[in-house]
Amino acid sequence: MADLIIENLTIKYGGVTAVENLSINVPSGEFLTLLGPSGCGKSTTLFAVAGLNHATSGIIRVGDRILFNGDSKAAVPPERRNIGLVFQSYALWPHKTVADNLAFPLILRKMGKSERDERIKEALGLVEMLPYAERYPFELSGGQQQRVALARALVYRPPLLLLDEPLSNLDAKLRERARVWLRELQERLKVTTVYVTHDQSEALAVSDRIAVMSMGRMRQLGSPREIYETP
Ligand code: ADP
Ligand code: ADP
């Protein structure tokens, strides 16, 4: 697994500064949450780490790989960053089975069938969805689809996992259970995780540390206890 270093990251959309001079160091294996109100720059930060938008300046490094050094022409393209992503809408391919949803990205990477099958079995096993391998997404509950989306992110064995409001489409009861489950899985895999939410109770429940953002800047960084106790 690997640490994530973000140094002086600034991201502008035309005249709007979405993220300003943000620096965060996420040690290997940590579960860090970006917490803040809608529009404060959480997703923009996550997208920059994934390489899905153009950062304006700063440095992004994962382990010993520099993904972005301020020059967007030299930035590592998203498909070569080896990062697992789960976003708010699970976006499983509706016409593919669960197993084929996981296989597709591996086929794109030209992985052979036997290795592919092994990886898919491992990832579905981790989220306890192996019995559903031949089902289609519409046959699954919201919670189950969520787990498949997570398995699809993990099937690469990425050193870094980025989760953008992954539980927001679940009802309150399921969300509560999913928090526990997500945290257990992350601890088992020891994968470095950056989690985005606007929900303070969710952040307090799942995180090793919380970075509180507002208006594109980081205002506070600390353990859930430290964040909770600060007025
Ligand atoms: P959050 O994830 O915290 O809700 P975002 O990172 O999505 O916030 O947005 C941060 C700011 O950047 C907001 O002011 C938003 O309107 C702006 N923004 C985000 N994406 C774009 C875009 N593609 N084009 C222009 N402005 C954007
Ligand atoms: P439902 O059919 O209502 O979606 P699940 O099949 O998701 O319920 O529940 C099965 C097990 O998976 C439960 O023990 C629960 O702790 C766990 N679980 C529930 N929701 C989720 C979720 N969103 N993501 C991962 N695991 C979950």
Side-chain angles (χ1 to χ4, degrees):
M1 299 303 134
D3 59 339
L4 164 68
I5 306 275
I6 299 174
E7 265 175 37
N8 300 320
L9 184 67
T10 295
I11 303 167
K12 294 180 183 169
Y13 292 111
V16 178
T17 303
V19 174
E20 192 167 5
N21 221 13
L22 181 78
S23 297
I24 307 180
N25 180 351
V26 190
S28 181
E30 184 173 78
F31 195 123
L32 179 115
T33 297
L34 301 180
L35 171 68
S38 178
C40 75
K42 307 180 297 293
S43 301
T44 300
T45 303
L46 218 57
F47 273 57
V49 174
L52 299 173
N53 59 13
H54 282 293
T56 309
S57 60
I59 294 174
I60 299 171
R61 176 167 76 66
V62 174
D64 53 16
R65 288 181 80 204
I66 293 173
L67 304 181
F68 177 72
N69 67 0
D71 175 5
S72 59
K73 286 196 202 74
V76 175
E79 67 276 12
R80 292 190 28 232
R81 293 194 177 199
N82 199 24
I83 290 173
L85 303 172
V86 182
F87 293 152
Q88 197 173 120
S89 53
Y90 332 121
L92 298 173
W93 288 290
H95 58 291
K96 289 182 194 294
T97 63
V98 165
D100 287 345
N101 260 278
L102 269 67
F104 189 64
L106 301 179
I107 291 170
L108 284 183
R109 287 162 188 228
K110 304 204 182 345
M111 187 181 285
K113 177 153 170 49
S114 63
E115 195 185 351
R116 232 159 52 210
D117 288 348
E118 198 177 306
R119 290 272 190 115
I120 291 168
K121 217 170 130 183
E122 178 195 74
L124 287 180
L126 280 169
V127 298
E128 294 174 22
M129 285 297 287
L130 205 46
Y132 298 86
E134 298 312 319
R135 302 285 191 87
Y136 286 87
F138 70 85
E139 299 178 281
L140 307 178
S141 70
Q144 292 171 330
Q145 289 185 35
Q146 189 68 65
R147 283 183 280 160
V148 174
L150 196 53
R152 191 174 58 180
L154 294 170
V155 81
Y156 302 113
R157 296 186 190 149
L160 179 64
L161 189 60
L162 305 179
L163 305 171
D164 192 350
E165 306 258 6
L167 309 183
S168 60
N169 284 347
L170 303 178
D171 67 52
K173 202 166 136 233
L174 196 55
R175 200 154 61 222
E176 201 107 325
R177 285 192 293 158
R179 284 178 191 174
V180 176
W181 176 90
L182 180 65
R183 189 59 232 235
E184 282 171 359
L185 182 68
Q186 193 270 345
E187 278 173 8
R188 187 136 49 102
L189 294 175
K190 304 204 184 327
V191 54
T192 311
T193 302
V194 183
Y195 189 85
V196 159
T197 184
H198 62 267
D199 181 334
Q200 187 181 17
S201 70
E202 196 160 295
L204 292 171
V206 298
S207 318
D208 291 320
R209 284 192 307 159
I210 299 170
V212 181
M213 292 181 70
S214 77
M215 298 174 76
R217 287 176 164 270
M218 188 168 74
R219 306 292 171 178
Q220 237 185 315
L221 178 67
S223 67
R225 197 198 180 107
E226 287 162 347
I227 298 296
Y228 185 71
E229 286 173 356
T230 308

